[in-house]
Amino acid sequence: MTHPFLDLAPLTAARFAAIERRVADLLATEQDVVIMQGEALLPLEGCIRGGARPGSTALNVVTGPYGQTFGDWLRDCGAEVVDLAVPFHSAVTAEQVERALAEHPEIDFVSLVHAEAATGNTNPVGEIGEVVRAHGALFMVDAVASVGAEPLLVDAWGVDLCVIGAQKAMGGPAGVSAVSVSARAWERMAANPKAPRQSYLSLLDWKARWIDAGRKALPHAPAQLEMLALDACLERIATDGLDTVMARHASAAAATRAGASALGGGLEPYVHDARDAAPVATTLRTPAGVDAAELVGRALAADPSLPLIAGGGALSKEMVRVNHYGVDATRDVVLSALGALGAALAGAGRTADVDAARAAVEKTWPKS
């Protein structure tokens, strides 16, 4: 017996390189793009371990849990780390980054998450990139959640290492990821004796065995199904139009925020300023006395398919996250999620106005 997922013709080097070029187009970059055969944590860790080294000093911007993880990796590399932490209900500003760089002129590496889906905020990468480039530091951005949901202009913003994954706004697979690498970043890694080499984490291996070798022979067997799925989601974005895909995510975020505010029951947006709110997920603070994890459990009991989740760790008691990315960036999903939260609030003894929430969504995101 055969199966559509089995007995496929091998993925050629030419096809692999063509998919890399499509990723480069999506990122608006002329830099080298490497597609790595694993979830996005693979290139994220590879970038940090290649770019940071003992004796270097890194500015690590913390606006959510991924920023905290990056700080741990940077310290493990022997770098001195300056953490710039801001409240999770807000975004970092270019002015805050500029002050940190002025206070620590030795900083030569800056790590930042573009959009933190876990906390629902997004950071002004373009403005921060100007400050980082003026300082002369290498700039690494985690754009896993933001790519496809909001503008991402790697070259124009001076990003040296930009990591993406396809599993959120792109609506693609989780098993492959990609990173764009500037010439400055390649130089930094090549000069770092601690950078991974002959390792699954190694970007330098990809450069030597794939890019510098003319992209004629793949260094190892690719994750074929995931690569084909990545190509398919890039094709879908191209067909729909990137502006259309981003507008859909922006509409989902605005409608969710407006609907949740109208729903009442004590729910309120976790991110204070709508300008700081990510287009991929809206986080909500539960009222005092209502456990967020229990509220989400009640909501999912009626429909387990809804994109609702409680916050991670200590946030599980106070934060509800509505994930409206990829296939869930639709008006109907937003309405269903708010309706389920309204019913769950009523079950917790709170008064919620589902009709008002629906009206707010329809006003913010009318039917086309």
Side-chain angles (χ1 to χ4, degrees):
M1 292 180 62
T2 189
H3 186 279
F5 294 164
L6 301 176
D7 307 319
L8 299 172
L11 191 72
T12 65
R15 179 75 179 277
F16 194 101
I19 299 172
E20 283 183 336
R21 288 194 295 273
R22 298 188 81 164
V23 172
D25 289 342
L26 181 66
L27 301 183
T29 184
E30 298 295 324
Q31 299 175 4
D32 289 325
V33 168
V34 176
I35 298 178
M36 300 191 77
Q37 307 298 282
E39 201 267 341
L41 284 173
L42 173 64
L44 285 168
E45 185 172 357
C47 286
I48 286 177
R49 295 197 181 278
R53 61 189 184 276
S56 63
T57 303
L59 176 66
N60 180 48
V61 181
V62 182
T63 59
Y66 282 102
Q68 293 171 330
T69 297
F70 297 165
D72 293 339
W73 285 340
L74 286 163
R75 291 181 179 90
D76 191 55
C77 292
E80 293 294 322
V81 180
V82 177
D83 283 320
L84 173 55
V86 302
F88 289 176
H89 59 68
S90 63
V92 73
T93 66
E95 291 75 20
Q96 289 173 307
V97 172
E98 188 170 33
R99 282 197 299 271
L101 293 172
E103 291 169 4
H104 300 274
E106 71 276 15
I107 287 171
D108 59 9
F109 187 94
V110 176
S111 55
L112 172 73
V113 178
H114 189 181
E116 284 268 14
T119 47
N121 54 41
T122 192
N123 295 300
V125 176
E127 297 172 18
I128 293 169
E130 290 184 22
V131 171
V132 174
R133 182 50 70 93
H135 183 81
L138 207 69
F139 190 25
M140 184 196 96
V141 172
D142 170 354
V144 173
S146 60
V147 63
E150 56 186 302
L152 179 58
L153 306 173
V154 167
D155 289 357
W157 292 351
V159 180
D160 293 291
L161 294 160
C162 184
V163 175
I164 67 165
Q167 70 269 30
K168 287 188 166 65
M170 291 176 66
V176 290
S177 48
V179 54
S180 61
V181 186
S182 72
R184 291 190 337 133
W186 283 130
E187 290 172 5
R188 172 73 66 86
M189 286 186 279
N192 180 6
K194 295 292 186 180
R197 291 170 171 83
Q198 298 182 339
S199 162
Y200 202 57
L201 287 171
S202 177
L203 289 165
L204 290 173
D205 289 356
W206 276 96
K207 180 167 175 32
R209 299 177 59 193
W210 171 244
I211 296 171
D212 292 348
R215 295 184 173 88
K216 293 181 176 156
L218 288 163
H220 54 70
Q224 179 151 320
L225 290 176
E226 287 80 2
M227 287 295 297
L228 294 174
L230 174 61
D231 198 24
C233 80
L234 289 164
E235 176 65 28
R236 182 167 62 185
I237 290 170
T239 299
D240 292 346
L242 179 58
D243 287 344
T244 298
V245 176
M246 291 192 294
R248 187 164 63 240
H249 284 84
S251 294
T256 303
R257 189 177 180 92
S261 296
L263 182 64
L267 276 185
E268 58 184 23
Y270 191 89
V271 176
H272 294 178
D273 194 324
R275 292 174 303 176
D276 297 337
V280 289
T282 296
T283 48
L284 305 169
R285 189 184 299 276
T286 55
V290 176
D291 184 279
E294 293 178 3
L295 187 71
V296 168
R298 290 193 196 98
L300 293 179
D303 185 355
S305 70
L306 291 174
L308 298 171
I309 188 171
L315 296 175
S316 65
K317 293 187 178 299
E318 66 178 33
M319 179 191 285
V320 172
R321 191 169 95 210
V322 184
N323 292 325
H324 38 68
Y325 53 72
V327 296
D328 290 325
T330 70
R331 184 176 173 278
D332 287 345
V333 167
V334 169
L335 287 169
S336 297
L338 292 171
L341 287 173
L345 283 166
R350 305 283 171 155
T351 301
D353 192 338
V354 175
D355 289 338
R358 178 177 289 275
V361 170
E362 290 175 347
K363 181 179 180 180
T364 307
W365 194 355
K367 290 182 179 178
S368 57

